[in-house]
Amino acid sequence: MDNDSGGGLGYGVSKIRPKRLFEKIEALSPDRNVMFNVMIPTSAIGGLTLLESSILVALTVLLAPSEFFEFGTYHGATSLLLAANSADHARITTVDLPRSPGARAAPAPAADALHLQNDSENDDYLRRSVAATGAIHLERAEPRYQRKVDRLYCDSRALDPVALGLARRFDFIFIDGGHDFETVAIDTANALRMAKDDSVIIWHDYASNLHRDVTRFVDGFSRHHAVIHVENTMLAFTVRGRFKGLM
Ligand SMILES: C[S@@+](CC[C@H](N)C(=O)[O-])C[C@H]1O[C@@H](n2cnc3c(N)ncnc32)[C@H](O)[C@@H]1O
């Protein structure tokens, strides 16, 4: 790993190629094929690429988390991915905004160029889209995957991890809710409260051309923490405790 010193990760953002993680999986399982279970990527904006999905699964294979938390359920594709590629006993908790009564009756908004070019318009579009459609991929999922997922409905900026029994509970936290600086900062502060000593915290939209606040926040965070950006993806993550030794 770039910036490594003496088995520890140096502060700052280090870049790694995806294959650095895949090599670790090969070393862990030299005699078998490691498969994963993934939906064909959705055409809706706001989802993960296939490569990004494979990175989340690679981290799941390497770190064997049993408690996952996701900020930003959206259509539920990543909750489903984590449910389908984790141990049977694993739990996925995912939070999105509460849905107002009747929102589902509204048609899903069509994405236009503005939604793809302006970060706050994009976030607003994602919120309206999920209000109209719900977490469709989770709702259609097989019961064995649905059973692993707990959904919370609240504004993550008002999340109280202690009151909700979420403190120090999670070993895998994925931050992909609101992309403005304030929301990313609050979600990250909560993620740190919710993380076990041995854990990974992952941000989506790092190095995005659209959600530049995520990059600005993570770059600032990296002044006091080692962060790894996976090239050719918008994923950046920080590992804590003994998980550092696995990187
Ligand atoms: C990019 S989408 C999440 C994509 C999802 N993680 C996936 O991989 O498929 C962002 C989601 O965050 C939700 N969101 C935005 N601001 C939020 C907030 N303050 N609290 C909770 N959820 C929020 C939006 O409603 C939207 O569903």
Side-chain angles (χ1 to χ4, degrees), residues 45-48 70-79 95-97 122-123 126-128 130-131 154-157 174 176-180 183 187 204-205:
I45 64 172
L48 300 191
E70 177 187 36
F71 289 89
T73 313
Y74 193 45
H75 294 156
T78 298
S79 305
V95 65
D96 211 295
L97 294 164
N122 183 280
D123 261 7
L126 297 174
R127 292 184 189 110
R128 284 187 292 121
V130 74
C154 73
D155 186 326
S156 66
R157 293 170 299 181
F174 182 48
D176 190 21
H179 298 98
D180 59 283
T183 304
D187 289 352
H204 191 236
D205 292 290

Side-chain angles (χ1 to χ4, degrees), residues 2-244:
D2 309 341
N3 277 6
D4 265 8
S5 56
L9 299 166
Y11 292 166
V13 178
S14 310
K15 286 186 189 180
I16 59 163
R17 295 200 188 126
K19 77 174 196 172
R20 294 291 299 275
L21 291 174
F22 304 152
E23 282 166 358
K24 289 177 191 297
I25 291 183
E26 287 163 6
L28 203 65
S29 305
D31 302 323
R32 68 181 184 94
N33 300 324
V34 179
M35 311 290 288
F36 77 110
N37 190 349
V38 64
M39 262 177 31
I40 294 288
T42 159
S43 63
I45 64 172
L48 300 191
T49 66
L50 200 48
L51 178 61
E52 289 170 338
S53 296
S54 75
I55 297 297
L56 293 194
V57 176
L59 289 170
T60 299
V61 171
L62 288 172
L63 308 176
S66 53
E67 289 279 356
F68 296 75
F69 191 92
E70 177 187 36
F71 289 89
T73 313
Y74 193 45
H75 294 156
T78 298
S79 305
L80 174 58
L81 177 82
L82 299 174
N85 293 282
S86 54
D88 289 345
H89 64 272
R91 305 288 316 164
I92 294 92
T93 307
T94 180
V95 65
D96 211 295
L97 294 164
R99 297 178 66 195
S100 53
R104 200 151 193 168
D112 64 24
L114 187 60
H115 299 132
L116 301 173
Q117 286 161 14
N118 177 292
D119 59 342
S120 58
E121 290 286 346
N122 183 280
D123 261 7
D124 188 46
Y125 168 83
L126 297 174
R127 292 184 189 110
R128 284 187 292 121
S129 172
V130 74
T133 62
I136 38 177
H137 300 307
L138 265 184
E139 288 161 18
R140 295 170 187 163
E142 293 173 50
R144 66 189 167 125
Y145 299 142
Q146 282 186 9
R147 276 195 291 274
K148 294 171 77 174
V149 180
D150 297 314
R151 298 189 55 190
L152 300 178
Y153 300 91
C154 73
D155 186 326
S156 66
R157 293 170 299 181
L159 192 76
D160 181 342
V162 174
L164 294 173
L166 303 175
R168 298 173 64 83
R169 203 176 106 185
F170 296 93
D171 25 37
F172 182 116
I173 300 181
F174 182 48
I175 300 178
D176 190 21
H179 298 98
D180 59 283
F181 192 93
E182 184 199 3
T183 304
V184 179
I186 294 172
D187 289 352
T188 303
N190 277 331
L192 291 167
R193 289 184 194 108
M194 291 157 58
K196 287 181 189 162
D197 290 342
D198 304 324
S199 52
V200 59
I201 298 174
I202 306 159
W203 297 267
H204 191 236
D205 292 290
Y206 181 79
S208 159
N209 290 326
L210 187 62
H211 296 299
R212 295 176 195 274
D213 277 8
V214 178
T215 311
R216 196 159 65 84
F217 175 81
V218 173
D219 284 348
F221 180 91
S222 79
R223 285 204 285 274
H224 304 285
H225 303 266
V227 173
I228 296 166
H229 171 219
V230 184
E231 287 180 354
N232 300 317
T233 77
M234 293 193 289
L235 295 173
F237 65 90
T238 187
V239 276
R240 296 156 41 92
R242 78 179 167 78
F243 283 4
K244 285 183 188 167

